[in-house]
Amino acid sequence: MGDPKRILILTADAGFGHRSAANAVAAALHERYGDQCEVHILNPLEDKRVPFVLRESQADYDILVRKAPELYRLGFEVSDATLPSVVVEGALTVMLFEVMWDVVHDFRPDAILTTYPLYQAPLTAVFTVSRRFVPLLTVITDLVTVHRLWFHERVDYCLVPTQAVYDLALEYGLSPQKVRLTGIPVHPRFAQETRPKAEIRRELGWQPDLFTVMAVGSRRVAGLTDMLHVLNHFGAPLQLVVVAGKDEELYAELQQVEWHVPAFLYLYVTEMPTFMHAADLLISKAGGLTVTEALASGLPMVLIDVIPGQETGNMQYVVQNGAGDWAEQPLQFLEVLAHLVHHDRALLRQRAENARRLGRPRAAYEVAELVWEAAQTGPVRRAGSRLAGRRSLLDLLRRNQVHWNEVAEAEEAE
C-alpha cells in the first residue's frame, strides 16, 4: 500500500453549516477509506495575515444577521451580479493569495474540498501561478438561494444540494460535467440511526410515548421564546426539547421559565442525529444546516425565522414541498400547531413523509467518494505553454505588493 492520500477540507465559521459539512465529509472519508487517506480540516480565515475585515467577518456575520437583516440582504443581492462578483473575486485573490499559497504548499494535498465560497478564486490563482493544479471540489451549503460566488468555472466539481441549484450552476456558466447533485453533507450518523423514536427517547431520559417537539435556537434566531410560550400553554400533551445553540443568554432565560410541560433544556448538543430522530416536530430558523439535517431525519419543521436573501429559498423549498410550515408570528404558529395535531396528527405524518422524500442522509458518502476519486488523480502540473490569464494575474499581485514563497521559481516557469 502506498502513502495515504492527503485531502484538505477548507471551511469557515460564519454560522454552523460550513464546518458541519466539512466535518461530515471528513467522517465519511475516515469511515470509508480509513488509513488510506489523511484528512485535514482548516479555516484559512484564522490566519493572522488575513486582513482584519475578512477575519472578523465570521463574528460580524452573527451581529449583522441579527441586528440588521435587511442590510445583510441588500449586500447579498447587490454583490450577486456579474460585475460586482468579478471585483470581489479579484479582491479576495489579493487578500488571501499569500495564505492560500502557503496552505497548498505546506499541506501538499492530493485533493481540496471547500465548503465556503471565498476560497475558490484565490486557490485557482495559486494553481495558475505555480502551474500545479490540485483537484478542487466545492460543496454548496444552501438549498436554493445561492450567491454567484459559489459557482467558479475553474473547479473540478461543484456539488449542489437541489435541482434548483443545479440549474442555477448551469445558468451561471458551469458545464454539466462539473455539476453533481449530491445534497448537503450531513454527518453519517443521520443515515445510521434507525431505532424507533420511543427507544431513543428512553435512552435520552425523555418520556418515550409523548409527542415530542424540538426547538433549536442560537444568537441568530429571532422570536423563539414567543413560540416556546405558545407551546408551553398549548394544552395538548407534549414534551419540549430546546437546544440553545451555545446562546448562554437564551439558555439562562429558559431556565427561569415556569414550564407546564416536560421540558429538557440543553445549551449545546453533539448528538443532533440522535435528537432529531427522536423528535416528532422541529421548530427553528431556516438555516441550510438545520433544514438539511431535519430532512435527512424525516423530521417535519415549523420555520419561524429567516435571514433575508440567503435563507429565503430554504424556507420556500421546505414549505412548497410540504415538509414544513412557515410561522413568523405566535398566532400563526398556534394555527399551524392546531392543524398539525388535528385528526390524530394526519398532517404531521404527511409532512414527515415529504421530509423523508427530500432528505439525502447519505450525501456525505457521495461527496467523500467524489473527493476520493479526485485524490487518485492528484495534482497536475501544466508547464511550458502559457496559461490563460497568468501574466495578468502576476501583474495584479505585484501591483498590490503581494508576496509569497518561491516567487522566483514561479517566474522562471513563466
Side-chain angles (χ1 to χ4, degrees), residues 9 14 43 52 54 124 210 287 302 317:
I9 302 179
N43 179 358
F52 181 81
L54 281 184
T124 56
L210 264 184
V302 178
Y317 182 74

Side-chain angles (χ1 to χ4, degrees), residues 3 7 20 27-28 37 58 68 81 93-94 146 150 193 214 216 219 228 237 244 256 276 299 302 379 407 413:
D3 293 336
I7 295 170
S20 178
C37 65
Q58 300 170 99
T93 297
V94 170
V146 178
W150 280 104
E193 180 58 81
M214 178 178 171
V216 176
R219 287 181 292 272
L228 295 178
Q256 300 303 313
M276 285 195 173
L299 181 61
V302 178
V407 63

Side-chain angles (χ1 to χ4, degrees), residues 28 30 38 42 70 77 85 117 122 141 166 174 177-179 185 214 232 256 280 285 329 339 347 350 365 393 399:
H30 284 306
E38 181 181 318
L42 180 69
E70 289 302 320
E77 293 178 352
S85 65
T141 57
Y166 182 97
L174 270 63
Q177 292 76 20
K178 289 189 173 186
V179 187
M214 178 178 171
N232 196 25
Q256 300 303 313
D280 295 305
K285 73 189 281 288
Q329 301 297 329
H339 292 152
L347 180 58
Q350 184 59 57
Y365 292 114
L393 174 59
R399 286 198 309 272

Side-chain angles (χ1 to χ4, degrees), residues 19-324:
R19 185 169 290 274
S20 178
N23 290 338
V25 177
L29 283 165
H30 284 306
E31 182 182 326
R32 280 284 176 86
Y33 305 107
D35 294 339
Q36 298 178 68
C37 65
E38 181 181 318
V39 182
H40 299 271
I41 299 177
L42 180 69
N43 179 358
L45 298 185
E46 293 177 343
D47 193 296
K48 298 301 182 184
R49 293 173 294 173
V50 173
F52 181 81
V53 64
L54 281 184
R55 277 192 286 118
E56 292 303 306
S57 64
Q58 300 170 99
D60 291 344
Y61 174 83
D62 281 344
I63 297 171
L64 190 58
V65 299
R66 185 171 185 178
K67 301 294 185 182
E70 289 302 320
L71 180 61
Y72 179 86
R73 179 189 62 81
L74 179 62
F76 182 95
E77 293 178 352
V78 168
S79 61
D80 189 26
T82 303
L83 183 57
S85 65
V86 170
V87 173
V88 170
E89 285 187 341
L92 289 170
T93 297
V94 170
M95 290 189 284
L96 293 176
F97 185 89
E98 182 180 351
V99 170
M100 288 301 184
W101 178 278
D102 287 348
V103 164
V104 171
H105 286 76
D106 289 346
F107 283 90
R108 310 296 290 184
D110 293 295
I112 298 174
L113 176 73
T114 178
T115 65
Y116 197 57
L118 303 191
Y119 304 145
Q120 299 167 108
L123 279 171
T124 56
V126 169
F127 301 159
T128 301
V129 170
S130 67
R131 297 183 182 275
R132 186 174 182 271
F133 288 77
V134 181
L136 176 60
L137 300 86
T138 296
V139 167
I140 294 177
T141 57
D142 276 303
L143 290 166
V144 177
T145 313
V146 178
H147 197 283
R148 186 183 294 265
L149 284 176
W150 280 104
F151 305 105
H152 197 282
E153 62 180 1
R154 300 288 288 275
V155 301
D156 293 272
Y157 284 118
C158 178
L159 311 180
V160 301
T162 60
Q163 184 64 45
V165 181
Y166 182 97
D167 295 339
L168 191 60
L170 301 188
E171 180 183 329
Y172 284 160
L174 270 63
S175 68
Q177 292 76 20
K178 289 189 173 186
V179 187
R180 296 290 183 91
L181 204 170
T182 61
I184 299 174
V186 296
H187 198 281
R189 291 199 303 271
F190 280 95
Q192 295 162 358
E193 180 58 81
T194 59
R195 293 176 294 168
K197 292 181 184 294
E199 179 182 337
I200 304 174
R201 292 172 190 163
R202 191 175 291 110
E203 177 186 278
L204 293 170
W206 308 346
Q207 296 190 31
D209 299 321
L210 264 184
F211 176 49
T212 303
V213 181
M214 178 178 171
V216 176
S218 75
R219 287 181 292 272
R220 293 181 295 278
V221 182
L224 180 62
T225 53
D226 292 335
M227 307 306 182
L228 295 178
H229 182 74
V230 171
L231 284 164
N232 196 25
H233 298 86
F234 185 54
L238 62 86
Q239 63 185 335
L240 184 59
V241 178
V242 187
V243 180
K246 296 185 179 179
D247 186 341
E248 295 183 358
E249 182 179 336
L250 172 62
Y251 184 63
E253 181 181 350
L254 295 173
Q255 290 179 311
Q256 300 303 313
V257 173
E258 182 181 349
W259 295 104
H260 305 301
V261 299
F264 302 89
L265 310 178
Y266 303 85
L267 177 61
Y268 181 71
V269 300
T270 57
E271 307 87 9
M272 194 58 77
T274 303
F275 275 49
M276 285 195 173
H277 277 279
D280 295 305
L281 178 67
L282 177 71
I283 314 300
S284 74
K285 73 189 281 288
L289 166 65
T290 304
V291 168
T292 301
E293 290 181 339
L295 295 177
S297 306
L299 181 61
M301 290 159 268
V302 178
L303 302 174
I304 62 171
D305 190 22
V306 62
I307 298 175
Q310 178 183 343
E311 293 179 352
T312 302
N314 297 342
M315 179 270 289
Q316 293 171 341
Y317 182 74
V318 168
V319 173
Q320 291 171 2
N321 284 282

